[in-house]
Amino acid sequence: MYFLDNTGFNPNPSSLERCIRCLCKVGLIEEALGVFSKLKEIGVKGSIKTWNSVLSCCVKIDRTDLVWKLYQDMIESGVVVDVDAETVGNLIQAFCIDGKVSKGYELFRQALEEGLEPGLVTFDRLISGFCKEKNFDRVSELLHTMIAINRYPDIRTYGEVIKGLCKSGKGFEGYRIFNDLKGRGYVPDRVMYTIMINGLCKMELVGDARKLWFEMINKGILPNDYTYNALIRGYCKIGNLEEAKELHKEMCGKGYGGTTLSYNIMIAGLCLHRETDEAYQLFGEMTQKGLAHDVITYNTLIRGFCKKGKIADGTNLLKELLARGLQPSTNSYTPLIEKLCEMGDVQEAKSLWNDMCNWDLKPLVRTHDYLITGLCEQGFVTEGMQQLKEMLNSKLKPQKGTLERLVLYLTRADSFDDSLLVIELMFRLGYTLNKGIYHLLVTKLCRENSSFIETCLGDILERN
């Protein structure tokens, strides 16, 4: 654009269109749009081939805002009457990127009725979108449609299906399809092997995943960092930390392990099995290798330290996270607040709670329960009731155990009116009252010796 604006050079329209298509091929969408505007300035609307190049480039970089703007320009310029299968395919993909898979599917059916057959990439986008929605009936329909119009699904298409099944808890079905494809002559690539290894590891079938690992290598397909991470995560999940560490060492030796992600996986695995000291060593190793600690690294270690009761270490990590200018998440605070409540340091828990809220972070529902219980156990029953009110105002449902604890401490403190309010809330939420708490309440209320108390007890008995 600078060249055109400042040199006086005035290429013909066909040259401008070729320039636009070249820029789109290398992903320079802003520059392409700049030349496109030059084309419109001289009154040339451009060929459908050029419009498709720009639309396709926008889709590839997920700039659906530009797709819809360009489509509106197409309508206004009259180009829309010349749309072909590629144009429609780009629009369908844009719908899928925006999470409007059903709208994309409607356009897809309309295109087929009009004799337009979108390409494989469009089918893959639709299949991926319906997999995310767990609508496998629609996925099956699309696969049959592909075969019917002689656009046979390739290994990438089936990879989307298997990935969707594994993510939806249908890993065995994904594995069946994977083996069936091999039997039908399909040759899985590294991406599909990695998808299947990851799916098997999620089902804790690490032995089967390892077999695929060796099968892949024997076929001359070398694992990459994604494959290594999938298997390492699998070993960590089943508690085989020695294999996980050995694989991570091998990965680093081959030049794949120098990423924050790979270290986060190992740190998470070690923390899961309470090996926090070793996890912290890896944390230090990251610094030595010049790898950045992200919020996930800190959160994982904070949670690991809290599990072992090392509150001071967890708190120091939170301070370090903030000092480094990283944006904390709810998970940066949650383990600390909950552990502090368990250990009786409710004031420090409240301080962290306030810090978290100052970051506009929403506490988890269960963290409200921890704080209410912690306040009650330390004798701050009134504050516990206030916290319950805030919880209810936020339309959050407290756990049964939390409300029972409140009734217990309120009853011990002779706060019968509040006890009855909480009991009423329990009944409204569908909870019943624990026998031990009920007996304590009966004993306390009977001392009052009033017909009102008798009526209350009768009502509680009936509803419990």
Side-chain angles (χ1 to χ4, degrees):
M1 276 300 296
Y2 178 84
F3 178 77
L4 293 176
D5 289 337
N6 293 278
T7 62
F9 179 62
N10 191 23
N12 60 46
S14 61
S15 297
L16 287 174
E17 289 200 59
R18 282 196 295 272
C19 177
I20 291 166
R21 292 197 292 272
C22 287
L23 288 168
C24 287
K25 275 185 181 178
V26 294
L28 298 174
I29 188 61
E30 297 297 341
E31 290 82 350
L33 289 172
V35 179
F36 206 70
S37 65
K38 272 285 182 188
L39 198 65
K40 286 190 284 186
E41 281 176 19
I42 59 176
V44 179
K45 66 180 182 180
S47 67
I48 192 66
K49 185 178 179 181
T50 303
W51 282 92
N52 282 340
S53 291
V54 181
L55 287 171
S56 182
C57 184
C58 294
V59 165
K60 283 176 183 174
I61 60 173
D62 291 349
R63 287 294 304 274
T64 56
D65 57 321
L66 294 177
V67 171
W68 303 122
K69 183 181 182 302
L70 284 163
Y71 184 61
Q72 185 62 38
D73 291 344
M74 289 177 76
I75 293 171
E76 292 171 0
S77 65
V79 182
V80 78
V81 296
D82 300 322
V83 296
D84 57 15
E86 187 179 349
T87 315
V88 174
N90 284 321
L91 297 177
I92 292 169
Q93 290 179 64
F95 274 126
C96 292
I97 293 166
D98 286 342
K100 299 174 182 177
V101 189
S102 294
K103 283 196 172 185
Y105 179 75
E106 286 173 19
L107 182 56
F108 166 78
R109 296 307 311 179
Q110 184 183 331
L112 289 182
E113 288 171 9
E114 294 174 2
L116 300 174
E117 296 179 1
L120 278 174
V121 177
T122 303
F123 276 98
D124 289 346
R125 285 271 194 182
L126 279 168
I127 287 170
S128 177
F130 282 123
C131 281
K132 286 176 184 174
E133 293 183 355
K134 301 182 182 180
N135 189 343
F136 293 104
D137 289 339
R138 191 69 82 199
V139 170
S140 178
E141 180 192 325
L142 284 166
L143 290 172
H144 282 97
T145 302
M146 291 179 77
I147 294 167
I149 63 174
N150 294 320
R151 288 190 183 275
Y152 291 95
D154 61 11
I155 206 71
R156 175 176 170 169
T157 309
Y158 280 116
E160 288 294 331
V161 176
I162 291 170
K163 181 168 66 175
L165 287 166
C166 290
K167 284 187 174 181
S168 302
K170 298 177 182 287
F172 286 109
E173 178 65 13
Y175 196 27
R176 184 192 66 74
I177 292 173
F178 177 83
N179 288 320
D180 182 55
L181 287 171
K182 288 195 293 182
R184 287 161 51 193
Y186 281 87
V187 181
D189 58 8
R190 182 165 58 186
V191 173
M192 183 174 270
Y193 269 111
T194 300
I195 289 169
M196 199 64 254
I197 287 169
N198 188 50
L200 289 167
C201 286
K202 283 184 177 179
M203 294 188 289
E204 299 188 13
L205 298 175
V206 183
D208 290 316
R210 189 65 161 170
K211 285 178 186 175
L212 284 187
W213 173 278
F214 287 119
E215 180 185 302
M216 179 177 71
I217 292 171
N218 289 335
K219 288 183 177 180
I221 305 170
L222 296 178
N224 61 9
D225 51 339
Y226 295 104
T227 325
Y228 271 104
N229 285 335
L231 196 54
I232 289 169
R233 196 182 280 113
Y235 277 125
C236 288
K237 192 171 183 179
I238 64 172
N240 192 340
L241 296 180
E242 290 308 312
E243 283 286 357
K245 286 186 279 187
E246 191 62 35
L247 207 56
H248 185 253
K249 183 180 177 182
E250 178 186 314
M251 181 185 183
C252 291
K254 291 186 176 180
Y256 290 129
T259 66
T260 299
L261 174 63
S262 63
Y263 272 87
N264 281 351
I265 290 168
M266 272 306 306
I267 288 170
L270 291 164
C271 286
L272 179 66
H273 299 284
R274 305 177 72 84
E275 299 290 342
T276 49
D277 291 339
E278 199 167 348
Y280 193 65
Q281 285 176 14
L282 286 182
F283 183 83
E285 192 176 300
M286 288 176 72
T287 303
Q288 293 167 13
K289 288 187 174 183
L291 297 176
H293 302 128
D294 60 14
V295 174
I296 294 172
T297 321
Y298 281 102
N299 289 356
T300 304
L301 267 173
I302 289 169
R303 184 170 63 249
F305 280 131
C306 287
K307 273 186 179 179
K308 294 198 76 173
K310 296 182 175 181
I311 296 292
D313 290 328
T315 303
N316 287 336
L317 279 173
L318 176 61
K319 289 177 181 176
E320 184 180 318
L321 181 159
L322 297 171
R324 293 197 171 184
L326 292 173
Q327 173 77 34
S329 70
T330 300
N331 289 329
S332 307
Y333 288 92
T334 298
L336 288 164
I337 292 170
E338 293 180 358
K339 197 64 182 180
L340 284 165
C341 288
E342 276 183 15
M343 297 176 70
D345 194 349
V346 72
Q347 295 305 322
E348 182 61 26
K350 282 171 59 183
S351 175
L352 287 176
W353 176 284
N354 292 333
D355 285 347
M356 178 169 61
C357 293
N358 288 337
W359 281 100
D360 289 328
L361 299 171
K362 289 186 178 180
L364 301 177
V365 176
R366 73 164 195 259
T367 314
H368 285 267
D369 287 294
Y370 270 91
L371 190 56
I372 291 169
T373 303
L375 287 165
C376 289
E377 287 181 349
Q378 296 304 308
F380 303 107
V381 186
T382 305
E383 284 187 62
M385 280 294 288
Q386 184 58 42
Q387 189 65 35
L388 175 64
K389 288 176 185 176
E390 290 179 17
M391 193 176 183
L392 296 174
N393 288 338
S394 300
K395 294 182 170 48
L396 301 175
K397 183 180 179 181
Q399 294 177 4
K400 179 186 176 185
T402 304
L403 297 177
E404 285 184 333
R405 290 284 186 90
L406 255 179
V407 173
L408 176 66
Y409 288 110
L410 287 166
T411 303
R412 285 178 179 172
D414 294 335
S415 299
F416 299 123
D417 288 343
D418 285 337
S419 293
L420 294 173
L421 279 172
V422 177
I423 290 170
E424 174 64 27
L425 173 62
M426 288 183 70
F427 291 148
R428 285 208 313 270
L429 294 173
Y431 297 141
T432 55
L433 195 59
N434 179 284
K435 285 184 180 179
I437 296 175
Y438 177 75
H439 288 308
L440 174 65
L441 188 63
V442 169
T443 303
K444 284 271 191 178
L445 288 176
C446 282
R447 292 177 189 166
E448 300 296 315
N449 193 25
S450 72
S451 58
F452 170 71
I453 299 300
E454 187 178 335
T455 303
C456 287
L457 288 174
D459 184 51
I460 292 169
L461 268 172
E462 184 180 336
R463 299 176 69 177
N464 203 42

